[in-house]
Structures are given as structure tokens and as C-alpha cells.
Amino acid sequence: MSQSIQIIPEIRDVIVEAGGKDIFKCFQCGKCFSVCPWFQVLATEFPVYKIPQAVKLGVIASSEDKDVIEAEVKEIFGCVGCEACLKECPRGVDIPGIIRAIRRIFVDYGTLPQELKSAISKIQGTGNPLGEPREKRVQWCEGLDVPIFQPGMEYLYFSCCLPAYDARLQKVAQATAKILQRSKISFGILGPNEECCGEAIRRVGSEKVFQKVAKANSTSFGNSGVKKLLTTSPHCYTTFKNEYPEIGMDLEVLHQTQLFAQLIDQGIILPRKTLNKKVVYHDPCTLGRQNGVYEEPRKVLSSIPGLEQVEVENYNRQFSICCGGGGGGLWLDLPMEGRMTNVRIRQLHDTGAEILAVACPYCLQMFEDAIKVMNMDMEVKDISELLLESL
Ligand code: SF4
Ligand code: SF4
């Protein structure tokens, strides 16, 4: 391994104060570098372990050297928060946490990519990263008879911003609502009072805006008498389950694949229609590696008659590679040849599967875009869509 880097004490102190206390624990063995998905895209150009040590925050304060600032911003906002490094580090160094702390400092100085600035300001203004009006948040369920949540209902269904507004992803929320209705699960939605969960902006480093939306959502859940939350996105799932407790929220949270697997086990859902296709499942980092939900999505797929499941050899479950959409990556406009999405979609396509099954709106969007650009012959479907087709 190359020579170790000595961090400047003043810079280290600022990073620690912003929440990156693990910076002391790293002994620069470089193991994180070898598992970071950027290694497969950029080879030696993204040396994870050096970034927190080599960053020069003083340059930002003085704004003297634009090239250095640009290079640092590119590196610091390149991390997709997949946590592959955290799982492999022999010292348990929270590298994504250190990078997030550095991002907080950058955000305080307004030094971040324009696309991320825009997403943060849209969330602040309209409660969603697309800047769509709040009253349109219920558009996805028009004609589906989905009620506003009332006390006594079992689940509050939280669709996530993308399935609420994006025409393709609305189909995922619609499939989910139809499955719940067929299963006679009592559920409702918050409607226009729903705000973005704030996961992506927290990972981008915008802690103040995250705190604002988290408090607004938590208050709405409390006022509505919600006890159980059901999410379509693993990003909403992990934030409600693992991060909202920091602000006092204590609700049961389920990802929809977990509920579907339970309903299948209980015989409440019985997939009958045959789908004679070969399918590969992509483990989203946030659901799999970060929350250990590996088997429920596979159980749902294996309950569908005719569906043949294949795996990406060596790169499944905790070794899955990020779709590139996490940590703000979804909003970054990276050149096509420099995207980690391409590495992953090639692995998935090489299995010979006709269908790529996903359980995350970010993955669906990233992979559909890549398939179009790379002219590949593979369909991307959310597990809810496949399950509904088979009922
Ligand atoms: S694996 Fe852990 S200890 Fe080794 S360089 Fe990476 S963060 Fe540091
Ligand atoms: S979280 Fe993922 S992308 Fe970020 S440094 Fe770690 S391995 Fe690389």
C-alpha cells in the first residue's frame, strides 16, 4: 500500500465536529478501496481511504483555487453511500459517515454540485425533490379508491416522492395499492401532507433541511394516529426505521417486500398465473447490505409460478454493487461512460435474465435509463408489478 497521508490537525478537528469522528480509527490499509464500486469504474481514480485524509477544507473557506475545489467536490459527492466499505473495514470505520460530515461542511459553504443544490431547494419549497406541487402528490392513486389515513387503519402507506410523481414509477405505487386492496389490508395515505423522507438530502449533507422534513413527517404521523408504516422505497424504510428514532419517532416500519412475503406465508396472497420468464433480482444496498433484507424479495419471486430465478455470481446479496442512485447519485448528471450503473447492469444482463426485478424506485430509474442508452434487451420491473401480474 502506498505511503500513509498525514491529515492536518485543524482540518481533522473540523471534520470530527461535523460528525466524522471515525477519522481517528483509519489506519489506511486500503481494503475499502478494493470493495468500493468506483474501483470497478475508475480503477485507481477513487482512492476512498485517502479522501477524508487528503481533503483541504481551508481552500473552500478562502475560495482561492477553483480547480482544487472542483476536484474535491467531485470526489466527496461521488460516494453513493452504498456502505460496501463499512462492511469490509477491519476497524469498522464509518467512511460514508466521514464523507457525510465533510459534505455538511461543503453544504454550509454552498460548495456542492448544482443538481444537488436544486434538489435540496425543491424539497425545502415543495416537499419533494422534483419540485412538483403538493396537491399533485395523490395523483398516482386517482381512480384507485385509496383513502386518506384514519386512526384505526393498520398501515400508513408511504409511496416515496418518485412513485408519487414520476409517470413510470407511479405504476409501482399503483401495483402496491392493488395488492394491498386484494389482500384486504386496511391502509391509507397522508396525501398532500406527506413530505420527502429526507434520506437523500441527509446523505448529501443537508442536515438542516433533513431535520425540518423529518420533524414535519413525524408530527403528521403522530397527529394522524399512525402505528405502522409501509414503504415502497428502501430509502424511506431505512430512514423511518433507523434515523427518525433520533427525533423521537417510534413506529413499526416495513418494506413492502417484507409484507408481501408475510402475506404469501399466511396464504392471504396466492400467486396463480404463470410467468414463464427468467428473472434476476438486484439487491438494493439500502435494503440488503444496510438492513439485511435479502430473502423476502426472493421469496416473493419464487412464489410466482413459472418464474426462473437466477443470481449474479459472486455479486449478490451483501456483495451486490450499487445502482449508482444512492447518496444523491440519482440527481447527478454524470457522463455515461463514467457511471457505476453500467458495471452493474452488465453483470445483471450477463445472467441471461429477461426480467430484472428490483425493490427500489432509484434502482428502477437508474437501470431503465442504462438499458435504454446501452440498447439492452431486458425489462425492469418492481417486485410489486410482477406479483400483481401473477395474482
Ligand atoms: S478499510 Fe478501514 S482502516 Fe482500512 S483504509 Fe479503509 S477505512 Fe481505513
Ligand atoms: S459508501 Fe460505497 S461509494 Fe462510498 S466510499 Fe464506501 S464503498 Fe465507496
Side-chain angles (χ1 to χ4, degrees):
M1 189 44 57
S2 57
Q3 218 181 0
S4 74
I5 302 162
Q6 293 303 315
I7 189 166
I8 300 165
E10 291 77 10
I11 289 181
R12 183 196 57 206
D13 293 348
V14 176
I15 295 172
V16 170
E17 200 173 317
K21 60 180 176 3
D22 271 15
I23 207 160
F24 287 111
K25 287 167 42 186
C26 173
F27 67 134
Q28 294 179 37
C29 68
K31 205 165 178 202
C32 51
F33 174 37
S34 65
V35 294
C36 177
W38 281 119
F39 182 60
Q40 304 215 25
V41 185
L42 301 169
T44 54
E45 287 175 35
F46 197 75
V48 184
Y49 65 102
K50 285 187 188 165
I51 293 169
Q53 312 289 338
V55 75
K56 292 185 182 60
L57 302 172
V59 172
I60 296 166
S62 60
S63 291
E64 277 167 10
D65 190 336
K66 280 204 162 48
D67 292 344
V68 176
I69 294 173
E70 259 177 44
E72 281 196 351
V73 166
K74 194 169 165 225
E75 282 184 341
I76 293 299
F77 289 93
C79 169
V80 289
C82 69
E83 297 190 8
C85 51
L86 177 54
K87 285 281 182 259
E88 289 300 319
C89 174
R91 292 225 175 154
V93 177
D94 181 5
I95 281 268
I98 298 170
I99 290 180
R100 201 178 313 157
I102 298 169
R103 287 177 173 190
R104 284 180 188 151
I105 301 163
F106 277 52
V107 168
D108 281 349
Y109 281 104
T111 312
L112 66 164
Q114 188 51 45
E115 306 97 294
L116 301 182
K117 261 189 204 169
S118 162
I120 294 167
S121 98
K122 283 174 183 164
I123 288 176
Q124 244 179 325
T126 61
N128 68 83
L130 308 169
E132 293 285 346
R134 286 173 194 275
E135 58 277 13
K136 278 202 189 166
R137 193 151 187 125
V138 290
Q139 221 176 31
W140 69 267
C141 58
E142 262 171 24
L144 283 185
D145 201 18
V146 173
I148 295 294
F149 185 88
Q150 302 292 328
M153 286 179 170
E154 190 173 5
Y155 289 100
L156 174 83
Y157 172 53
F158 195 92
S159 71
C160 166
C161 301
L162 297 181
Y165 294 110
D166 177 85
R168 165 66 185 96
L169 288 162
Q170 283 178 344
K171 294 194 172 102
V172 176
Q174 287 158 359
T176 304
K178 286 177 188 169
I179 294 167
L180 297 177
Q181 286 169 337
R182 287 204 190 188
S183 312
K184 308 225 176 318
I185 299 287
S186 81
F187 73 101
I189 55 171
L190 273 187
N193 290 335
E194 194 175 283
E195 299 261 344
C196 175
C197 72
E199 187 261 3
I201 47 171
R202 187 174 224 198
R203 271 144 194 75
V204 162
S206 183
E207 185 63 19
K208 289 179 196 128
V209 181
F210 169 75
Q211 290 292 334
K212 189 174 153 254
V213 294
K215 281 176 190 140
N217 273 326
S218 180
T219 304
S220 297
F221 299 154
N223 291 344
S224 304
V226 176
K227 301 270 185 297
K228 290 186 190 175
L229 276 167
L230 181 69
T231 73
T232 279
S233 170
H235 298 271
C236 308
Y237 168 74
T238 200
T239 310
F240 293 145
K241 183 167 175 275
N242 302 319
E243 300 188 18
Y244 276 39
E246 291 167 25
I247 56 159
M249 190 182 96
D250 181 22
L251 299 177
E252 190 181 327
V253 188
L254 276 185
H255 183 259
Q256 60 188 39
T257 56
Q258 295 176 302
L259 180 62
F260 297 156
Q262 281 175 18
L263 294 171
I264 289 163
D265 270 348
Q266 293 160 358
I268 295 171
I269 290 182
L270 191 58
R272 288 173 202 278
K273 288 188 198 147
T274 300
L275 300 180
N276 282 323
K277 298 265 180 180
K278 202 190 246 194
V279 67
V280 61
Y281 172 62
H282 162 77
D283 290 277
C285 309
T286 313
L287 194 61
R289 193 180 299 112
Q290 295 171 21
N291 282 289
V293 181
Y294 296 116
E295 301 315 319
E296 291 93 327
R298 289 176 169 81
K299 176 180 262 197
V300 178
L301 292 173
S302 59
S303 75
I304 298 173
L307 213 51
E308 182 198 346
Q309 256 189 90
V310 291
E311 297 282 355
V312 180
E313 207 180 337
N314 300 324
Y315 290 97
N316 61 66
R317 295 178 170 81
Q318 84 167 81
F319 304 109
S320 173
I321 290 180
C322 183
C323 72
L330 185 77
W331 299 315
L332 289 178
D333 192 15
L334 297 178
M336 197 57 203
E337 65 282 3
R339 295 182 185 182
M340 72 176 65
T341 321
N342 301 359
V343 173
R344 184 58 176 164
I345 199 70
R346 277 194 203 102
Q347 290 181 336
L348 293 156
H349 188 254
D350 285 352
T351 61
E354 298 150 282
I355 300 178
L356 163 57
V358 295
C360 171
Y362 290 14
C363 300
L364 193 149
Q365 198 162 69
M366 297 299 287
F367 289 138
E368 273 200 346
D369 283 355
I371 282 173
K372 264 185 224 142
V373 174
M374 295 167 86
N375 204 18
M376 283 175 167
D377 186 18
M378 186 159 65
E379 254 187 303
V380 189
K381 295 228 166 167
D382 189 84
I383 286 183
S384 58
E385 296 177 292
L386 290 166
L387 181 57
L388 181 67
E389 274 179 47
S390 75
L391 294 181

